Amino acid sequence: MNASTLYYSNLSAHTGMQAQAPPHSCQHNKLAPRLSRGSVVCRASSKPLRKADAVIIGGGVIGLNTALTLLQKGASVLLVERGKQLCTGATGAGQGYIWMSHRSPKTAGWDLASASMDMLKRSDPDFLAEIELQATGSLLLARTEEETQGLGERASMLSKQGIHAQLLDAGAVCAREPALALPHEGSGLWVESDLQVDGRKTAAAMLAACKVYGAHFQLLMGEEVLNIQLGQQPVRTETSEHLVIGSLATIVAAGVWSGELLSAATGHSKYRQLLRPRKGHLLEMERPPSMAALKSGMMEMSYTKHYAHSSEDHLRVAPTSEEAAEGVAADITFTATSSASGSLLLGSSREFVDVASNVSAQASHAVVEAILERAQVFLPGLVGGSVLPDLIRVGLRPFAVGGYPMIGPVPGHQGLYVAAGHEGSGLALSPATAHLLASYVLEEPANMQPDTLQEVLPATRLLLAEL
Ligand SMILES: Cc1cc2nc3c(=O)[nH]c(=O)nc-3n(C[C@H](O)[C@H](O)[C@H](O)COP(=O)(O)OP(=O)(O)OC[C@H]3O[C@@H](n4cnc5c(N)ncnc54)[C@H](O)[C@@H]3O)c2cc1C
């Protein structure tokens, strides 16, 4: 399964299909035929050809982790990323929560998160140091009696799943985290086992780990995938500079842009509708010297509403009325973490935007102000603090209708796979996602918890089969 570079003159293609007029992207060569199925095949392209067992489109945390997992299992990998550097997509904005406390058991998200956390903990200690894994624990924060009651219910729900969760009153929370201010009726749910990583360092460490595989790993950085050609086996992909072939698999892991790529390739517009860009802002700032350092990761209780999907939701292929209405105004919920170097990350906003573009990913001054204002309610020591424009992170979370990612083979198209739609959890869910996808591609048993096998695998298959 060695990586190799071939050129067009080395190839002959036997499609058995009728040649037609050349498609637009091959117009420089009049001999280029088009298959009668409608898929574009640039057989006579002057672009150099590259081959590997698996071609991965997208170098965010999902594509990188999938690449690394396949390499570890002996496959050669070619990864195409259009950014000239890492983290130009949602991964660059990720806060780094690897948490269970805000999730609901008996859902695909829970199973993926739980399996991912176990895998992460078993990783090489040097790798964990590079990604700045911190055992910070987590605090979910309530400000009202009603929210405190909700935290109590959540504590018993988590405990039933074997996760030690402790409900603390406002005084105990503020004794633990002196920077916090909570009203008397407030409270906090402390989960010691929750973790935190640095999203950007995670991506960089994964890329470095892939490069250790030498010629088995090819990286086309700064190259955009223009189209995926499904007319013949194996699937071919045209980038701005190359034609690439994944002899076993072509994996679309392009975050929110995956829907567009899949719709264009399959002619099925529903992929575009299934993945929606959900914009998020995150602010990075130095902690004011008078404010106590944060020891734990924290978020306000209302954040859990973004994870309140039922186990049936993965069957849904249309947005709920709430999802459709969101986007009129950004939803702001307080989150805060402290990086290993001590700077503060404050979040976050959620709003659906129409198109995934550079323009839609620009920072909004009003949203930044609203995040800072909300953070000051919980952390009064921030009052008077300001955020430098270059320390504002904006990302388009890839939201899949139904709330769960799509992981697995694309029905009806042998050799084509998808791993996309992780919304606000891509960092937390990437290890199990990569493991599942590699199991599909290599036709190996996934050997994961029974819950995951029963719920996640059929869930993703069904979501795709609904199309
Ligand atoms: C504010 C914010 C906070 C977050 N906090 C957390 C958190 O605490 N924990 C957590 O787990 N998750 C968090 N997330 C979510 C997480 O960042 C995403 O779920 C994750 O990064 C998605 O990864 P991805 O690889 O699917 O997509 P992306 O990171 O978007 O990567 C997709 C890549 O595909 C490339 N691409 C697209 N089209 C093409 C093409 N045609 N050709 C070549 N390349 C292409 C893009 O350039 C991009 O690099 C947060 C997100 C935001 C916005």
Side-chain angles (χ1 to χ4, degrees):
M1 295 202 276
N2 281 330
S4 58
T5 303
L6 298 174
Y7 294 89
Y8 170 65
S9 55
N10 303 112
L11 289 177
S12 69
H14 303 279
T15 66
M17 294 185 182
Q18 203 179 356
Q20 296 180 350
H24 176 73
S25 55
C26 304
Q27 271 171 359
H28 59 277
N29 188 326
K30 290 197 168 59
L31 294 175
R34 188 173 69 188
L35 299 183
S36 53
R37 275 187 207 155
S39 298
V40 176
V41 175
C42 299
R43 282 197 296 143
S45 166
S46 57
K47 288 179 179 174
L49 186 68
R50 296 274 197 104
K51 284 181 87 176
D53 295 323
V55 165
I56 298 179
I57 303 169
V61 69
I62 300 298
L64 285 165
N65 211 335
T66 303
L68 183 56
T69 305
L70 282 164
L71 287 163
Q72 286 165 342
K73 288 175 176 284
S76 61
V77 171
L78 185 151
L79 189 141
V80 191
E81 165 54 49
R82 71 176 167 197
K84 289 203 171 75
Q85 61 212 24
L86 281 185
C87 292
T88 52
T91 302
Q95 189 156 9
Y97 287 122
I98 310 290
W99 285 21
M100 295 305 294
S101 67
H102 59 305
R103 301 182 191 279
S104 305
K106 302 205 182 304
T107 61
W110 174 278
D111 289 342
L112 276 173
S114 166
S116 293
M117 204 182 230
D118 288 346
M119 288 177 191
L120 189 66
K121 284 184 194 156
R122 290 198 302 269
S123 300
D124 180 79
D126 289 341
F127 176 79
L128 295 180
E130 279 174 52
I131 66 174
E132 295 191 350
L133 181 93
Q134 298 183 74
T136 53
S138 68
L139 266 176
L140 273 181
L141 300 169
R143 298 191 68 80
T144 63
E145 274 176 24
E146 194 189 346
E147 285 185 341
T148 292
Q149 194 186 335
L151 280 191
E153 288 161 13
R154 185 160 281 275
S156 66
M157 178 181 83
L158 291 169
S159 299
K160 279 187 198 141
Q161 301 301 316
I163 294 178
H164 182 61
Q166 195 183 354
L167 188 62
L168 306 176
D169 64 23
V173 174
C174 297
R176 204 195 136 68
E177 291 286 356
L180 271 173
L182 283 180
H184 181 253
E185 60 276 23
S187 61
L189 183 66
W190 166 241
V191 175
E192 191 171 6
S193 52
D194 281 346
L195 305 168
Q196 193 190 312
V197 298
D198 182 304
R200 294 174 177 194
K201 290 189 174 154
T202 300
M206 280 177 184
L207 182 60
C210 287
K211 286 182 175 172
V212 168
Y213 287 84
H216 267 229
F217 178 63
Q218 301 174 69
L219 176 66
L220 301 182
M221 198 91 184
E223 283 191 34
E224 179 162 22
V225 165
L226 303 178
N227 57 64
I228 303 166
Q229 304 160 3
L230 302 175
Q232 60 185 314
Q233 285 298 321
V235 173
R236 290 171 172 223
T237 298
E238 184 187 4
T239 79
S240 40
E241 308 287 333
H242 291 90
L243 275 183
V244 297
I245 295 182
S247 56
L248 292 179
T250 296
I251 300 166
V252 181
V256 73
W257 299 277
S258 304
E260 194 60 47
L261 283 167
L262 287 171
S263 283
T266 62
H268 219 316
S269 64
K270 280 210 169 173
Y271 286 105
R272 196 179 291 121
Q273 292 155 19
L274 271 176
L275 278 170
R276 303 179 64 202
R278 204 179 205 182
K279 183 175 179 175
H281 290 65
L282 194 70
L283 318 183
E284 189 179 342
M285 63 190 293
E286 291 308 311
R287 176 172 54 85
S290 57
M291 190 183 126
L294 304 184
K295 289 184 282 209
S296 353
M298 52 187 75
M299 61 172 67
E300 65 179 295
M301 162 76 175
S302 65
Y303 191 96
T304 57
K305 70 180 176 225
H306 301 302
Y307 291 82
H309 309 293
S310 79
S311 55
E312 282 80 44
D313 265 352
H314 53 68
L315 300 176
R316 206 154 46 77
V317 289
T320 60
S321 51
E322 290 87 37
E323 286 162 5
E326 198 179 316
V328 177
D331 176 278
I332 311 284
T333 36
F334 165 70
T335 63
T337 48
S338 184
S339 73
S341 60
S343 57
L344 285 174
L345 283 178
L346 301 174
S348 65
S349 63
R350 269 181 166 77
E351 64 189 303
F352 285 115
V353 290
D354 289 338
V355 214
S357 70
N358 287 342
V359 175
S360 59
Q362 278 172 7
S364 146
H365 181 69
V367 172
V368 170
E369 287 296 308
I371 291 175
L372 200 51
E373 204 174 297
R374 188 67 187 153
Q376 287 164 355
V377 171
F378 288 84
L379 301 171
L382 288 173
V383 173
S386 60
V387 182
L388 296 174
D390 59 346
L391 295 180
I392 300 167
R393 303 183 185 184
V394 184
L396 299 175
R397 298 180 186 90
F399 175 87
V401 169
Y404 298 116
M406 298 186 279
I407 307 165
V410 175
H413 298 287
Q414 198 192 332
L416 184 64
Y417 297 80
V418 59
H422 295 72
E423 212 270 339
S425 296
L427 294 162
L429 307 186
S430 72
T433 297
H435 181 81
L436 281 174
L437 204 59
S439 306
Y440 277 120
V441 170
L442 303 175
E443 295 181 5
E444 290 177 356
N447 287 334
M448 294 172 80
Q449 295 172 24
D451 273 356
T452 308
L453 283 174
Q454 280 157 20
E455 300 207 9
V456 179
L457 294 182
T460 49
R461 278 175 192 272
L462 280 169
L463 178 61
L464 293 167
E466 285 279 308
L467 288 167

